[in-house]
Amino acid sequence: MRLNKLNKPEPLAKMAFNALRRSILNNELEIGTVYNEKSLAESLGISRTPVREALLELATKKLVRFLPQKGVVLNTFSEKDIDDVFEIRCALELFSIKKIWKNYKTLDMSSLEEHLATQKRAVKKGDRMAFMAADRLFHLGFTELTENEYLFNTMRDIRDVMHLMGYRALSLDQRMEEVVVEHEQIFHALASGDLGQAMEKMENHLETTKQAVLKTMPEIDLP
């Protein structure tokens, strides 16, 4: 008799990490609020040890930071942090465009069109969460098309940080509408094979987004 091996359940620390990461990306945890391991463990229904392991991993990814003798908070960022993140984003996203441009005639970019359509629907509904999710997928779509797993994973982590940085920027008047226009310009330039325009539009888009993020940086007084 031949049986398939059963899949082993994920370690509790990994499950806790995924659950807390989802809560951060869904805005269920608030910037400025101090959370402790005990309350988080109780909410998740597990012991404190895997929660602490999960928080340590989240801290290495710059999503939370520890306050000695108090707990953890969602990370906030300095102007230099924002400059540094956008510097990396610009390098990686321009590289992605340059790489996939070589095959633009045969490239299947339908997923990018779908994410654009989702963003347009989110704008009509005024749904920032749905818009942010589609924005994330649109930008990750370029790195996914490179078929470089390491590049994709790096961009995914950066996009997690960008959620904390960028969500408030979408509250600026007409910013969501502007982002859609900027995304369309990037997409159409790449689809038509105009590498110079695609890279220029992406660089301009990232600079405009950075300025919006800087303009809406939260001022948090932690206890």
Side-chain angles (χ1 to χ4, degrees), residues 11-218:
L12 281 178
K14 184 65 175 177
M15 294 173 67
F17 170 83
N18 289 333
L20 291 171
R21 176 179 169 274
R22 279 195 303 271
S23 294
I24 292 170
L25 297 182
N26 290 334
N27 293 342
E28 294 166 358
L29 301 180
E30 297 181 359
I31 290 178
T33 299
V34 180
Y35 299 94
N36 60 64
E37 293 172 14
K38 182 180 178 182
S39 62
L40 292 173
E42 289 174 352
S43 296
L44 294 172
I46 58 177
S47 67
R48 292 172 61 176
T49 299
V51 170
R52 180 166 183 78
E53 291 179 28
L55 291 172
L56 287 169
E57 186 174 355
L58 289 167
T60 65
K61 295 182 180 296
K62 305 299 184 184
L63 295 179
V64 304
R65 59 191 173 94
F66 285 85
L67 299 179
Q69 310 302 318
K70 293 178 181 177
V72 296
V73 292
L74 298 190
N75 209 1
T76 52
F77 304 93
S78 67
E79 185 171 340
K80 184 180 186 306
D81 291 328
I82 293 168
D83 282 338
D84 289 348
V85 167
F86 274 91
E87 187 173 65
I88 295 170
R89 275 195 68 183
C90 193
L92 295 182
E93 297 201 51
L94 292 182
F95 171 82
S96 297
I97 286 177
K98 190 173 182 179
K99 183 173 182 180
I100 63 179
W101 167 79
K102 297 175 183 178
N103 301 311
Y104 80 91
K105 290 183 179 179
T106 57
L107 204 61
D108 181 5
M109 293 191 287
S110 58
S111 61
L112 297 178
E113 286 186 292
E114 290 172 10
H115 302 322
L116 269 173
T118 301
Q119 284 191 299
K120 290 177 182 178
R121 289 193 294 270
V123 169
K124 289 182 179 179
K125 296 178 181 178
D127 188 340
R128 271 199 288 165
M129 281 296 295
F131 187 92
M132 195 75 172
D135 182 86
R136 172 191 178 89
L137 292 173
F138 179 80
H139 281 277
L140 283 176
F142 290 98
T143 51
E144 189 172 21
L145 287 171
T146 68
E147 298 183 343
N148 183 325
E149 183 180 356
Y150 299 97
L151 175 60
F152 178 81
N153 289 339
T154 301
M155 270 301 299
R156 183 181 56 194
D157 287 346
I158 290 173
R159 287 300 309 186
D160 286 355
V161 171
M162 273 303 307
H163 181 85
L164 291 179
M165 285 185 176
Y167 184 72
R168 284 169 177 75
L170 295 177
S171 65
L172 292 174
D173 189 38
Q174 300 297 308
R175 183 55 193 151
M176 289 199 295
E177 290 86 347
E178 291 170 355
V179 169
V180 168
V181 172
E182 292 163 14
H183 282 181
E184 286 182 321
Q185 291 173 341
I186 297 164
F187 173 81
H188 290 306
L190 181 60
S192 66
D194 192 335
L195 176 62
Q197 270 290 96
M199 294 183 72
E200 180 183 336
K201 295 300 182 181
M202 177 64 84
E203 192 167 8
N204 290 343
H205 168 59
L206 293 178
E207 178 60 29
T208 303
T209 300
K210 183 178 80 169
Q211 294 306 318
V213 169
L214 289 169
K215 191 173 182 178
T216 55
M217 285 174 60

